[in-house]
Every structure is written in C-alpha cells, then in structure tokens.
Amino acid sequence: MGIPDNCENTGKCVADVGKRQQHRKIKELKTQVERTLWFANTYGLHLESLKLSDNSGAEYELEFTAGGTKKSYKDLPEAEKQKIKEVLLIQDKFCVGEAAYHELTMIPAGQTLPRSYLVKQCKDSLNQLCHIERTPGENEGAQVNFYDALRNAIQNHMRTCTANGLSPPERYNIKLSGDGAKMTRLTGFIVISFSILNSGDAVMSPKGNYTLAIIKGKECYETLKSSCSKIFSDVNKIVEAGVLQLDDGNEVPIDMYLGGDYKFLLILMGMKGAVSDYACIWCKIHKMLRHDMTKPQDFYWMIDMKRTLEDIRQCCLKKQFSCDRPPLLNIPLENVVLDELHLMLRVTDKLTDNLITEALNRDKADNHNKAPCDHTSTHLDNLVNAIQSCGISFNVWEKTDANGRASGIYDFTSLMGTDKKLLLEKLPAKLNGVITPATCNEVINLWKDFHHIYNDCINMKTPTDADVDTYFVKVTAWVTLFLSLGQSLEGYGKVNITPYIHAMVYHVPRFMKLHNGIRQFSGQGVEKLNDNIRRIHLQKSNKWDAAKDVLMAEERKRILSDLEREPRPYKKKADNYWLDGIKESRRKRPRLCDEEDISDGPEDISSLTPEILKLRLKDMGITTRARKLSRLLDMYTVALQSQQH
C-alpha cells in the first residue's frame, strides 16, 4: 500500500469555513492521515493523537483510537491516569463543577486538558473503592467503617514516619470529635470525625481530621444514639481492648479521647444543658458555687467531688446532678478534654457582650430625660467604631418582635476564631475613653490578662508542673478581677461564671498535666473540616443524597491526598506589612458606598402607606390617632419642613 496521491485540499482552509464544514474537513483530514501513516504500525507504533495549528495560531487536536471509539479511563497508561487524578483532586478540593470543567476543556486554551468524560470515569472508579453505608436510625446519613478508617490512618502515619526517618509511636492517641454544623437555614449536619494526636500540628488542619459519619438532623442525644450506634459500639470495643489489629497482624496500643464543644460533650455524657444546676462534666459543683476561687487546684478532682462514668450512670437513674441519660461512650472522663478554641470563643463572647451591655446602659442613662427624637447612641457607636478599627467587620443591632417592633434585645456580629484572636490582641489599647472611666483600667486589664492566659499558657505545647501551677495562679486572679467588677457593671456577677470559666480554672490544669498540654485538643481542624463540608454541600451536591455526596467527596480527597501539590516555601520579609500594613492598604481603597449619593430628587411621599407614615412620625417624636392618608401626609410634610429649618 502506497501513500495516496489525492490528499491535497482543493477547497477553502479550515479556518475560513463554519463550524459544520470545519468538522467535515477535519474528519476528512483524519481519514487521510490514518491512510498516509499506515506504515507506523510496522515499527510497532500506534497513532494516538496529532496536533495541528492554522495560520492564526488556533490549535486542532486529532485523536485516533481503535475502532473509532472513545478512549476509556481504565485503558489509559498510568501517567495519563495520574494527570486525571490530579485534575479530579483539584475539582473536589475547590468544588469545581463538572459542567464548569467541561466548558473549560472545550475552549481553545483547554484543549490540552484531560477530557471531562475521562475525569468522570476516574471519579466513578474511585467511588467504587469507597465503602459508604447508611447510618442506622431514622435520620438521613452516611458513614464509613470506623475500624477500617482508623486502621488505614494509622498505617499511613506509620509509613510517613518511616519515610521521614522517624520511629512510629509506641502508643497511638486517637481523638473522636463531633460537631453540629449548619449548612443552610433549614439544614444542619452532625459531623463525626477522628484525628491522630500523634500527628502534631496536623490535627489543626482538615487533612489531619478524618470524617467518619455525616448525619442530617438536629444535634441531640436521640439522634446520636441511633445514627452513631455502630461507630460508638466500635469505639467502646477499642476502649475496652486498648489495642487495634493492623493488616499485618500486629497490634498497636490505642488510647481514645473525646473532644468537641461543650454542648456535644454534654450530649454524649447524657447530661442536661449548660444552664442546668450541675452543668460541669467533670465535677458535681452547683452553678451558684462556681464563683468560689479559694479552693485548691485539685479540689474538684477529689473522690467526693469528681464524676466518673459509673457515677453518671447511677445518677441518671435517680435524675441527680443534671444526669439525664447514660453516657454513649465509655471513654474515661480524664480523656474527655475541653476544646481550647471554643473556650476562647465563649469567654470572648462574654467579655464582648459585657462591653455592649455597658455601652447600652450608658446610652440609656444619657437618654433618660430626652424626647425620643433626641435619643442618641454615642457610647455604643464609639464601641463599635473601636472594634471595627481593629480590622474586624462588626455591628450591633436591636432585634424585632413578631410585629416588627423594637424588642429591646440587642445582638451583635458573630465573629470567627481569627477575628476573636485579633480582638483580644488589639481592642484593649482602644478601650480607653470608650468605656466607663471609673472601671476602665480594670476592664482593659481583664482583656489583656485573658489574652496572655490564652496565648502563653493554654496554648503552651509542653507545660511543666511549674508552668501549670503558674497558670492556675493567673487564672484564679483573672476570675477574681472579673468578679470585682460585678459591683459596678452588669454581667460580671457570680452568676456569670459559666461552665467554660469554671473548667478553665479547675479542670484545664489537670488536663495540662495529664496530657502534656491541651493545644492538640483544639477544635480548629474540626471547624475547618465543617467549612469544607459546607462548601461541598452547597456547590457539589444535588441535595438528593447530600450526606453521601459530601462523604464520598471527602473519601476521594483522602485517597488522592498523595497527589496534592507541596506548597512552595515562602518567607515573609516584611512582617509589619502582613500584621498591619495590608489592612491599612485595604482601608485606602475607595468603596462604592463612600461615594456621594446622587439622587434624582426628593422622595415621593404620596406613595407611602398610612402605616409607614405613622411609623416615621413616631420616629420624629410625633404620635397621632389620625388614620386618613391625606391628614397623615400633611403632618409628615410639616414635620419634614420643620426639620429642614
């Protein structure tokens, strides 16, 4: 067979015809190329693709497959599969939709990317490796086998240690975590996960936390008991055995821990809410006695004061000491460790709420003898401006009742952990002149001291016994200062000592000594994992089987984690810029809301309803029983004119 002589194109070029003719010409060219390069087979080579470009630089790729059929993912060489897996990892990590990726591959710049159908086939093949089953109970949910997930995680950790020239730990510390995460206004997930505390700082990121189950429903005892019964049963078996058998038959010792926010811990221990009389998980102190700072450090860990699992089981039968139901897990209470992140969040919330209450009370006193139209919120505005000057988006507003009227109850912006830490660092220096002068120094010291306690003591990695004793002295002094303000300010009384504050004083020191610090028990990684799950739920799931979709995406990311790109080392040379300079440069950017308002003219008040007119008149300090629209319009017009003059 020779090379055909009639390969020459006698018509227009490909770039000069429409899409339909382009397809016909390219198909014809493809046939001619196959006929011309027939001899490549004699060299043991197979033609797979051919890249061409026209005079304008546009590229065309011709693919040649056996029988004219599309290539299948399973038939690709390993190098091609690797590229497709890397693309799939990016899709799952950044929640890139299949439709978006398909459009990307269809534009000229995306011609070199793997075809979208190959990525789908890769995803389907990985999904078959993920054994996901339905959670028990009535609630919709998905879960993986705890034994298999824990075994794989420990074996991967051992391989990583060996690859880095380190010896695997003789004993593995495993923390079980859980949290209720709000996905939408009406949908909430309960996320159960675990982490290997031996991994160090990896537990502070989503990579170090492995998702076990996702349950759609309310975070309560009944839901957790029914939906997590299989997981909790496996956990209790490991707690009882103390070892886990690996694939090679060897057994590794295991210590189980429990972490999470206070609500989750109370639920798993079968106790009532945080406002109950005996809300402390670790001791039997009454809430009206939590203010007593005269007790020694280990007082609430003595036999007659501390709780045990058996004690909770006995008390729940008699409904004593806020014990309502039997615990769901058999993890010893010494291994149920408080989350330092939520401790900081809740204490900072209390301090912020007290500042707002103080500002509102001062404004209320200033407005006592003033007409409603002359009321001001000077002190509250000054406080909000001080907080916003820290580089934080913050506001305070008054809630409305069912009728849309002012309720007298105020709420403020819920800040993230990074914003709270920034607030602790920068706000004290801005409070002078903003809060009550008589107690200004004490309140500022309260903020500064808590910032020091949290950063330098609670987050200490390897505290010694002397460090713990010093911490206890500082934290008791902090609570004493807090209570001393109760005579002058609202919100600093004995009843305001929350379970978090009590645990910070009398239980955190014990945990620091037992577990060599509590930094590794932080819920930061769990919260970031919740953010990832929320993003997957909103952007990658069609909501038909939402829990399974999210868990499947998390499992795929875990399988492909070895393909993740190593970030390049970056050294910040200008530290001051990243601390303050970047915020200052952002403040200088012009904002659309700061531009001058260009309106077409005065408001057309003739379109206002009688209800709106009466509300506006009331805001101006004018009350009337008039109902007629014309009468209300006249009154409103006169009121506006009097304000202008």
Side-chain angles (χ1 to χ4, degrees):
M1 181 178 179
I3 299 176
D5 298 330
N6 56 345
C7 295
E8 184 179 357
N9 176 36
T10 57
K12 294 182 179 180
C13 296
V14 173
D16 298 333
V17 297
K19 291 287 184 182
R20 190 171 181 179
Q21 289 297 320
Q22 278 186 3
H23 180 71
R24 184 186 65 79
K25 283 183 172 291
I26 289 175
K27 187 176 181 181
E28 180 183 348
L29 174 62
K30 185 176 177 181
T31 303
Q32 297 290 357
V33 169
E34 283 184 307
R35 293 174 59 190
T36 304
L37 299 180
W38 64 271
F39 57 86
N41 292 331
T42 62
Y43 290 89
L45 302 176
H46 302 282
L47 182 63
E48 291 190 353
S49 64
L50 177 67
K51 284 187 178 180
L52 304 167
S53 61
D54 58 21
N55 296 331
S56 63
E59 293 184 351
Y60 303 87
E61 183 175 3
L62 308 182
E63 293 187 359
F64 302 87
T65 54
T69 59
K70 290 184 176 180
K71 293 185 293 185
S72 176
Y73 171 77
K74 63 181 180 180
D75 298 329
L76 295 176
E78 287 300 322
E80 291 294 325
K81 289 183 178 180
Q82 187 89 345
K83 294 179 182 178
I84 295 173
K85 288 179 180 179
E86 291 173 352
V87 171
L88 179 59
L89 176 61
I90 293 176
Q91 275 191 266
D92 284 336
K93 184 177 180 180
F94 297 99
C95 296
V96 179
E98 293 178 353
Y101 181 76
H102 176 72
E103 292 298 322
L104 188 63
T105 60
M106 298 305 292
I107 62 176
Q111 292 296 320
T112 57
L113 292 173
R115 301 294 92 185
S116 59
Y117 75 90
L118 293 175
V119 179
K120 290 180 183 178
Q121 291 178 6
C122 176
K123 183 171 72 172
D124 293 338
S125 66
L126 290 179
N127 288 345
Q128 294 176 2
L129 301 177
C130 306
H131 181 64
I132 295 178
E133 56 188 19
R134 187 190 187 280
T135 54
E138 298 179 356
N139 291 78
E140 175 187 338
Q143 66 179 8
V144 296
N145 185 274
F146 178 61
Y147 273 107
D148 294 340
L150 180 59
R151 188 181 297 111
N152 291 333
I154 290 178
Q155 290 175 160
N156 288 336
H157 184 266
M158 287 181 170
R159 285 192 289 267
T160 302
C161 291
T162 304
N164 294 332
L166 303 174
S167 299
E170 297 180 357
R171 194 174 196 88
Y172 273 89
N173 300 325
I174 307 299
K175 184 188 75 167
L176 185 72
S177 302
D179 193 17
K182 196 171 182 63
M183 298 292 114
T184 63
R185 186 174 61 89
L186 300 176
T187 306
F189 282 169
I190 304 173
V191 182
I192 308 296
S193 60
F194 75 92
S195 58
I196 301 177
L197 298 180
N198 308 80
S199 302
D201 289 340
V203 299
M204 309 287 282
S205 68
K207 297 178 186 177
N209 290 267
Y210 305 86
T211 309
L212 286 175
I214 297 176
I215 303 108
K216 183 179 179 181
K218 183 181 178 182
E219 185 182 9
C220 62
Y221 185 90
E222 291 78 10
T223 302
L224 289 171
K225 181 180 179 180
S226 60
S227 298
C228 299
S229 58
K230 178 67 168 59
I231 293 176
F232 290 166
S233 175
D234 292 342
V235 171
N236 290 334
K237 289 178 182 177
I238 292 178
V239 171
E240 182 179 357
V243 294
L244 176 70
Q245 188 174 15
L246 303 180
D247 291 338
D248 57 5
N250 294 327
E251 292 183 343
V252 57
I254 298 290
D255 282 334
M256 290 298 304
Y257 295 84
L258 180 63
D261 60 13
Y262 207 77
K263 177 183 178 181
F264 181 76
L265 297 180
L266 284 172
I267 291 174
L268 288 190
M269 292 298 107
M271 297 178 62
K272 296 181 180 179
V275 296
S276 59
D277 289 342
Y278 298 90
C280 182
I281 297 173
W282 301 276
C283 69
K284 301 175 184 176
I285 186 174
H286 192 275
K287 65 180 180 180
M288 299 306 296
L289 300 176
R290 290 198 293 249
H291 64 87
D292 187 4
M293 295 291 111
T294 61
K295 300 294 188 292
Q297 185 181 135
D298 294 330
F299 178 80
Y300 294 105
W301 288 95
M302 295 180 180
I303 297 298
D304 55 339
M305 290 299 298
K306 74 172 185 177
R307 294 185 191 267
T308 61
L309 291 176
E310 185 59 32
D311 178 67
I312 294 177
R313 293 189 185 98
Q314 294 298 325
C315 289
C316 76
L317 297 176
K318 304 175 184 178
K319 303 297 180 183
Q320 293 179 337
F321 297 106
S322 298
C323 298
D324 198 33
R325 298 178 178 91
L328 295 175
L329 292 172
N330 296 332
I331 298 176
L333 291 184
E334 288 82 359
N335 289 2
V336 179
V337 184
L338 193 67
D339 172 17
E340 55 86 19
L341 175 66
H342 282 88
L343 185 150
M344 183 273 295
L345 294 176
R346 300 292 83 82
V347 174
T348 309
D349 278 341
K350 186 60 184 172
L351 295 178
T352 307
D353 184 61
N354 287 350
L355 289 179
I356 294 172
T357 302
E358 177 187 347
L360 290 172
N361 289 339
R362 294 180 71 190
D363 286 333
K364 184 178 180 180
D366 292 346
N367 296 329
H368 182 64
N369 294 322
K370 294 181 181 179
C373 60
D374 296 329
H375 284 187
T376 60
S377 57
T378 305
H379 300 294
L380 182 61
D381 293 341
N382 290 340
L383 176 62
V384 171
N385 291 334
I387 295 176
Q388 290 177 348
S389 66
C390 299
I392 297 171
S393 178
F394 184 83
N395 212 336
V396 180
W397 62 90
E398 186 176 8
K399 293 183 177 180
T400 56
D401 57 16
N403 297 321
R405 299 174 181 173
S407 64
I409 301 174
Y410 288 80
D411 199 1
F412 55 91
T413 306
S414 179
L415 301 178
M416 303 292 287
T418 52
D419 291 335
K420 293 284 183 68
K421 293 176 182 178
L422 192 62
L423 198 66
L424 282 174
E425 178 185 356
K426 296 193 173 184
L427 184 61
K430 302 176 183 293
L431 289 178
N432 196 3
V434 175
I435 56 179
T436 306
T439 55
C440 179
N441 292 333
E442 288 79 4
V443 173
I444 291 175
N445 288 334
L446 200 66
W447 279 79
K448 287 182 177 180
D449 292 347
F450 181 71
H451 178 245
H452 165 67
I453 289 171
Y454 175 73
N455 272 2
D456 301 333
C457 300
I458 294 179
N459 276 328
M460 191 179 299
K461 288 190 175 181
T462 54
T464 62
D465 288 349
D467 293 331
V468 176
D469 294 338
T470 303
Y471 161 78
F472 178 72
V473 173
K474 290 180 179 179
V475 77
T476 51
W478 184 85
V479 176
T480 303
L481 177 61
F482 181 93
L483 293 171
S484 67
L485 294 169
Q487 299 177 356
S488 307
L489 300 174
E490 183 180 346
Y492 296 94
K494 297 178 180 180
V495 296
N496 301 116
I497 302 299
T498 63
Y500 269 112
I501 296 178
H502 165 73
M504 180 177 68
V505 179
Y506 282 106
H507 298 298
V508 167
R510 174 83 168 188
F511 297 142
M512 294 172 74
K513 288 183 178 180
L514 285 176
H515 310 305
N516 201 21
I518 65 169
R519 176 180 168 81
Q520 66 269 28
F521 296 96
S522 173
Q524 180 175 320
V526 176
E527 293 297 329
K528 290 181 179 179
L529 180 64
N530 290 346
D531 293 339
N532 291 346
I533 289 174
R534 185 180 298 107
R535 187 166 63 249
I536 294 172
H537 173 72
L538 295 176
Q539 300 180 16
K540 290 278 287 183
S541 171
N542 61 4
K543 315 301 185 295
W544 176 254
D545 197 358
K548 180 183 176 182
D549 291 341
V550 174
L551 192 56
M552 192 75 77
E554 286 293 313
E555 284 293 292
R556 288 198 302 268
K557 288 195 293 183
R558 180 186 60 81
I559 294 173
L560 300 175
S561 59
D562 294 338
L563 301 177
E564 194 160 1
R565 178 182 66 88
E566 283 290 334
R568 292 181 298 174
Y570 177 76
K571 184 178 180 181
K572 296 179 180 179
K573 295 183 179 179
D575 292 335
N576 292 333
Y577 172 78
W578 295 104
L579 291 175
D580 300 313
I582 188 172
K583 296 182 179 64
E584 189 63 30
S585 64
R586 288 172 180 170
R587 290 194 195 99
K588 294 179 181 179
R589 296 176 187 172
R591 295 192 303 174
L592 188 63
C593 61
D594 295 333
E595 295 182 3
E596 185 179 355
D597 184 19
I598 304 175
S599 56
D600 297 333
E603 180 186 12
D604 182 15
I605 63 174
S606 61
S607 60
L608 300 178
T609 62
E611 291 78 11
I612 295 177
L613 288 170
K614 293 184 74 172
L615 286 174
R616 292 194 179 185
L617 288 170
K618 185 178 179 181
D619 292 339
M620 295 178 177
I622 302 172
T623 56
T624 178
R625 292 186 177 182
R627 298 181 180 179
K628 194 173 181 180
L629 179 61
S630 59
R631 172 62 178 159
L632 292 171
L633 285 172
D634 292 340
M635 294 176 64
Y636 186 58
T637 303
V638 173
L640 288 176
Q641 292 175 353
S642 63
Q643 280 189 348
Q644 293 175 357
H645 296 298

